[in-house]
Amino acid sequence: MSRSLCLTMLAVIVSVVTLIGCRRPAEDIGERGGFPVFHTSDCLPDITLVDQHGRNVSLASLRGKPVLFDFIYTNCPGPCLLLTAQMKQIANRLGPKLGTEVRIVSITVDPEHDHPAQLLEYASKQGADVSGWLFLTGTPKQIDDEMARFNVIRQREPDGTVDHVLEFFLVDANGNALLQYLGQKADPGRVASDVERTAAREPVTGGHSGN
């Protein structure tokens, strides 16, 4: 194999690794549909975003309760709708604990288009405009900075469409990422159990979650 071909293949591999961030092979995911996160980035920094009702929300102000994070955009043709539907199942399982003991935060990956009005319309159509569930937007740099804390990136295809982020994350009350789930592989019941155990200060990062 020529040196130039080797270098080309290496560049492709590096690009793929960069794009997938901290994703794992399917065999590492396990029954809960996710795996522990071991990086130590603070996922609840002093960044002020704007929610679906036009209110300023400092991510640092969310400390004290575990947070389930996902990344969506309102013009998404399908995958984001499925992810939001899954998060709604989790919200339904959490019941009155959502908002009082735990939170869900959905951050747009298309802040150029998704302003509070668009986020509110999306949340309302999906039945997700409920207490304890925030849909947040901000400047592109703010969104990029927050996503980097989860080792995921925001990017567009050549035709301008936005790439999907199918992973979502459980963050503890101190802002530490605990678990990363892979989209539709995650079981809503197990995820809700993980969130509840985290709220109760019980360990969830090893083995399987109780349910």
Side-chain angles (χ1 to χ4, degrees), residues 9-206:
M9 292 180 65
L10 179 60
V12 171
I13 292 171
V14 169
S15 298
V16 171
V17 171
T18 300
L19 289 175
I20 65 176
C22 55
R23 299 175 191 175
R24 296 281 188 87
E27 61 269 18
D28 291 344
I29 292 173
E31 292 181 11
R32 65 161 32 113
F35 51 84
V37 175
F38 296 110
H39 67 80
T40 58
S41 294
D42 179 5
C43 296
L44 294 175
D46 188 18
I47 294 176
T48 298
L49 302 178
V50 183
D51 75 5
Q52 67 266 40
H53 300 289
R55 300 173 297 205
N56 289 337
V57 177
S58 167
L59 293 182
S61 73
L62 303 181
R63 292 177 182 275
K65 298 180 177 70
V67 183
L68 200 61
F69 276 89
D70 71 345
F71 299 91
I72 55 89
Y73 65 100
T74 63
N75 281 337
C76 178
C80 296
L81 299 177
L82 295 175
L83 184 56
T84 299
Q86 189 178 35
M87 299 294 273
K88 186 179 177 182
Q89 291 185 57
I90 296 168
N92 290 341
R93 284 169 167 80
L94 292 172
K97 294 181 180 179
L98 180 60
T100 58
E101 298 180 29
V102 303
R103 295 185 178 93
I104 297 176
V105 170
S106 297
I107 296 180
T108 180
V109 296
D110 186 16
E112 294 89 350
H113 171 268
D114 287 341
H115 306 298
Q118 286 76 28
L119 292 176
L120 180 58
E121 181 180 11
Y122 177 89
S124 299
K125 284 183 176 179
Q126 306 310 313
D129 186 28
V130 297
S131 177
W133 191 340
L134 298 171
F135 286 79
L136 300 179
T137 187
T139 68
K141 184 180 186 307
Q142 286 176 318
I143 301 301
D144 289 340
D145 288 348
E146 178 62 9
M147 292 181 69
R149 294 172 183 271
F150 293 94
N151 290 335
V152 293
I153 62 175
R154 185 174 69 95
Q155 64 181 18
R156 294 180 182 271
E157 296 294 339
D159 63 0
T161 58
V162 183
D163 270 1
H164 309 287
V165 179
L166 300 180
E167 295 86 359
F168 60 100
F169 303 83
L170 174 58
V171 171
D172 71 14
N174 297 316
N176 302 307
L178 296 179
L179 292 164
Q180 175 172 341
Y181 302 94
L182 183 58
Q184 294 300 303
K185 289 186 176 293
D187 176 77
R190 286 185 178 270
V191 176
S193 176
D194 288 340
V195 176
E196 290 171 337
R197 287 164 64 88
T198 302
R201 309 285 178 168
E202 298 176 9
V204 298
T205 56

